Amino acid sequence: MQSLIGPSQISVSFLFVMILQGCATVPEVPVTYDPATQARIRVFHGTAAYLYLGDVCDGKSHSFIHAAAGGFSYFERNKKIGMPATDDMPLSYHEYAIPANKPFTVMMRWQAQNASGTWESCGPIYTSFTPRAGQDYDTFMSFHRGACQGVKVRKLISDESGKVTTMAASINGPPFRQCR
């Protein structure tokens, strides 16, 4: 007796199930966040982004988080750990708990092909800062009139009513492309 379901029907069915799973709501990523020893950072997608747990210019090897993979990151579900929303945040991001009161480095790189087929790029650009315990930050690559302005790190500030504003975070020196 021949099977009525062939390999192509199984593949289509599997693909359909995977697509439906992608539409399901995702709870916040379970994470232990200790505001006494950690800070939180939100990484906006659109650029390749790496978070280094330390100052990359100190000559030591550092653990890192591959926080975003360029434009492909938009297809991933947001990872949330309870950070407050800002009025200007994009739809695609990941949030992380990070060690506080120690140097921390953000590296971002952007590359895209324009309408004429020419590749444009920016980076890699590194920014180092020291997150403070209990503080929330966000980071992204800034562009103005199509020109890359580098990596930005902002500190999130909540008022008594719950409104969240941002200000530039204090960085440990100017952004850089390579260690000197």
Side-chain angles (χ1 to χ4, degrees), residues 26-33 39-42 78-86 89 93-97 134-137 156 158 162 164:
V26 179
E28 290 188 358
V29 176
V31 129
T32 303
Y33 167 62
R40 296 184 292 191
I41 190 165
R42 179 182 296 130
N78 291 340
K79 293 179 185 173
K80 301 177 184 180
I81 59 170
M83 291 180 62
T86 60
M89 61 188 270
Y93 58 87
H94 287 341
E95 297 173 353
Y96 301 94
Q135 183 61 58
D136 292 325
Y137 301 89
L156 280 59
S158 299
V164 180

Side-chain angles (χ1 to χ4, degrees), residues 47 108 110 121-123 125-127 140-153 171 174-177:
T47 60
M108 292 188 177
W110 171 84
S121 64
C122 180
I125 299 175
Y126 298 80
T127 297
F140 55 94
M141 188 168 277
S142 176
F143 292 87
H144 181 69
R145 296 185 180 168
C148 178
Q149 302 296 305
V151 176
K152 303 296 182 195
V153 178
I171 59 173
F176 54 97
R177 292 185 182 269

Side-chain angles (χ1 to χ4, degrees), residues 41 55 102-106 125-132 137-140 149-155 167-176:
I41 190 165
D55 179 351
K102 297 176 183 172
F104 187 82
T105 304
V106 177
I125 299 175
Y126 298 80
T127 297
S128 180
F129 75 109
T130 303
R132 300 293 171 217
Y137 301 89
D138 65 21
T139 186
F140 55 94
Q149 302 296 305
V151 176
K152 303 296 182 195
V153 178
R154 302 185 308 181
K155 180 175 162 179
M167 65 180 285
S170 296
I171 59 173
N172 301 343
F176 54 97

Side-chain angles (χ1 to χ4, degrees), residues 57-81:
C57 290
D58 66 7
K60 299 176 184 174
S61 177
H62 296 283
S63 300
F64 66 89
I65 300 166
H66 185 194
F72 294 109
S73 300
Y74 288 114
F75 297 113
E76 293 184 35
R77 296 180 187 153
N78 291 340
K79 293 179 185 173
K80 301 177 184 180
I81 59 170

